[in-house]
Structure formats: structure tokens, C-alpha cells
Amino acid sequence: MPVLVDFWAPWCGPCRMIEPTIVKLAKAYEGKLNADSNPDIASQYGIRSIPTVMIFRNGEKKDAVIGAVPESTLVSTIEKFVVR
């Protein structure tokens, strides 16, 4: 199962815009990471803009979506890595 990691911050307007979608998807694909509280991790993955949603599979980064995008974009990006 892929893991969704959302790099976000509470002050980020676009992050707040997609938060309901992220909360919904996080229940199925894992969770969120506050970029302000975890700057080392954000730096490790080269996060330059938030929201950035990364998809990991088996501990390896597979894809990333940057910005406030529609739920359908996030779902289709995640679903590419779901093994059925």
C-alpha cells in the first residue's frame, strides 16, 4: 500500500484549501507532516513549496504533487501505486 505524506503548515492558505481532501485521503493512505515542526525532514526531501504531497511505496519516494490540486488529481496519483 502506498503511503501519502502531506508537507504542510498551519499558516499556508493552499494547505488549508486542500485540508479536507488530505484528511479524507490520510485515513486510507497514512498521514500528514507539519513542515514547520519537521524542517529537517522537509529539507531532506527538498520541499520548496507547500502543500507538497509525496507518495512512498516500500519506503521509496515514487511521486509528488505540489500545490492545491483537485482531489481527483491526488487520487489518480496515489492509485498508480496501489497493487490490486
Side-chain angles (χ1 to χ4, degrees):
M1 181 64 79
V3 174
L4 174 143
V5 178
D6 175 30
F7 291 86
W8 69 284
W11 51 263
C12 170
C15 299
R16 290 193 310 269
M17 285 175 46
I18 68 167
E19 183 174 13
T21 298
I22 294 298
V23 168
K24 179 178 166 184
L25 294 175
K27 291 177 184 173
Y29 300 106
E30 288 302 318
K32 298 172 62 151
L33 184 90
N34 184 322
D36 285 342
S37 299
N38 299 280
D40 293 343
I41 296 172
S43 178
Q44 175 183 347
Y45 288 103
I47 303 303
R48 298 186 198 287
S49 180
I50 54 175
T52 293
V53 176
M54 290 188 171
I55 311 302
F56 291 83
R57 183 164 176 87
N58 298 322
E60 181 181 329
K61 178 185 162 198
K62 294 293 185 180
D63 207 346
V65 178
I66 300 169
V69 298
E71 180 177 347
S72 60
T73 300
L74 293 171
V75 170
S76 65
T77 301
I78 295 166
E79 288 294 317
K80 291 188 295 188
F81 303 103
V82 173
V83 176
R84 303 214 185 253

